Amino acid sequence: MQVPSPLTELHDERLRDRDVRLYLKRDDLISPDVPGNKWRKLKYNLVAARERGHHTLLTFGGAYSNHIRATAAAGALFGFDTIGVIRGEEHRPLNDSLALAVNRGMRLTYMDRTTYRRKTSPEVLACLAAEFGDFYLVPEGGTNMLALKGCMELPAEIDLDFDVLCCACGTGGTLAGLAAGLRPGQHALGFSALKGGEFLADDVRRLQTEAFGAETGNWSIDFASHFGGYAKRTPELDQFASDFRRRHDVDLDRVYVAKMLHGVFARVRDGRFPAGSVVVAVVTG
Ligand SMILES: *Cc1c(COP(=O)(O)O)cnc(C)c1O
């Protein structure tokens, strides 16, 4: 695991024109198998699972979940068996993401959508325990208090005075943790990758209250950069990402990171970062 992950400054005339300095925190380079925020979120969960004597990790996700794949890889690296409970029906052949998980030794099981909604109820968990035996439960998307603790470590790795730390949001766990690691005066800015993600702000507040006893109040969420919803793409987004690759030789994840950076550049263009701002954007995967 390459931690601390590299920090690189972007040289781009769109930034120069507005006198904004933008750095990328390359968490995507932490590991090819368990990239970015997925590693930060799993780390203390793996420690807890080991301390409590568990040999198996069980987690939930959709068929294209980065978290499922990352949990499979982390289990293989750190000596845990892994079980992935996938929402909906089995489709053969497996998509690349699930095939990779199986390749790392993950056992997959499928859960109909109605049961999936109740997946953490005592009854459903009891059924899973009856089928698979003892396990350490990693929640869907990997978001829990220990995940926040892992993400909270990122800001201290940035050896630079910055004003704003940007990240993409799915469950909001990463944003909730990052914000808690900031110094006074700094701000965390999340970009929702989901349409209608307004519930996210409540989730971030709830997560922070659970983990730290209070919300940190130093963050906000931009809801204008979802491009139609989760995993949706538009020509504009694709064009932004290919232009970004040409300019900076970085291939952006389209589900989360390209949307976030598009949002960052839109704010730069609209003058929403004051001149002289130093902004760090986390490449979460
Ligand atoms: C999973 C994921 C996210 C979402 O993180 P949350 O903590 O669920 O908000 C963001 N970016 C990438 C690349 C991801 O894989």
Side-chain angles (χ1 to χ4, degrees):
M1 300 296 157
Q2 193 192 343
V3 179
S5 60
L7 186 75
T8 55
E9 181 166 8
L10 277 189
H11 298 284
D12 193 304
E13 78 263 7
R14 294 171 291 183
L15 302 168
R16 212 160 36 235
D17 291 347
R18 296 285 177 183
D19 191 19
V20 172
R21 279 161 64 203
L22 176 61
Y23 293 81
L24 298 184
K25 177 73 171 150
R26 294 293 306 274
D27 266 18
D28 56 315
L29 302 178
I30 286 179
S31 148
D33 271 358
V34 198
N37 64 341
K38 299 299 179 286
W39 165 247
R40 295 193 189 270
K41 291 167 81 172
L42 278 168
K43 176 177 148 188
Y44 288 110
N45 279 291
L46 298 177
V47 172
R50 176 134 315 143
E51 279 173 5
R52 295 175 204 170
H54 294 285
H55 300 289
T56 303
L57 310 174
L58 180 142
T59 196
F60 302 97
Y64 292 91
S65 160
N66 286 339
H67 163 70
I68 288 283
R69 212 165 64 184
T71 304
L77 279 170
F78 296 96
F80 292 97
D81 293 334
T82 52
I83 298 163
V85 181
I86 310 301
R87 180 181 61 233
E89 279 153 33
E90 178 171 14
H91 293 284
R92 289 275 174 178
L94 294 177
N95 68 46
D96 290 352
S97 185
L98 291 182
L100 247 145
V102 168
N103 207 270
R104 295 287 183 275
M106 183 174 257
R107 234 175 116 183
L108 299 181
T109 181
Y110 296 83
M111 194 175 265
D112 69 83
R113 282 157 200 277
T114 314
T115 314
Y116 193 87
R117 268 179 236 122
R118 300 185 290 114
K119 59 188 172 302
T120 55
S121 68
E123 303 79 54
V124 176
L125 289 179
C127 282
L128 289 169
E131 191 173 350
F132 297 108
D134 168 72
F135 55 75
Y136 179 89
L137 180 71
V138 182
E140 183 174 35
T143 291
N144 60 8
M145 282 163 50
L146 294 174
L148 266 61
K149 185 179 164 194
C151 293
M152 195 181 158
E153 294 178 342
L154 183 148
E157 291 176 13
I158 304 172
D159 203 3
L160 177 84
D161 262 326
F162 62 93
D163 303 297
V164 183
L165 184 60
C166 300
C167 73
C169 295
T171 64
T174 301
L175 176 65
L178 293 180
L182 293 178
R183 287 196 297 273
Q186 295 176 325
H187 188 84
L189 177 59
F191 291 83
S192 177
L194 289 69
K195 185 159 130 187
E198 282 73 9
F199 63 87
L200 256 176
D202 284 337
D203 286 355
V204 173
R205 275 190 281 274
R206 183 180 48 74
L207 286 164
Q208 289 196 322
T209 307
E210 270 171 34
F212 314 118
E215 49 181 291
T216 59
N218 59 350
W219 52 271
S220 53
I221 302 176
D222 184 319
F223 294 103
S225 226
H226 58 68
F227 288 90
Y230 181 74
K232 295 270 169 35
R233 295 164 70 151
T234 68
E236 186 192 356
L237 181 68
D238 287 340
Q239 208 254 321
F240 172 79
S242 45
D243 176 63
F244 196 90
R245 190 197 305 119
R246 244 187 334 269
R247 288 172 188 256
H248 302 297
D249 200 23
V250 179
D251 219 352
L252 301 176
D253 158 85
R254 305 277 165 108
V255 177
Y256 291 105
V257 181
K259 292 182 181 182
M260 181 268 298
L261 277 172
H262 184 281
V264 170
F265 275 93
R267 290 174 88 100
V268 170
R269 183 197 60 214
D270 297 343
R272 295 181 68 188
F273 294 112
S277 292
V278 180
V279 179
V280 178
V282 184
V283 181
T284 38

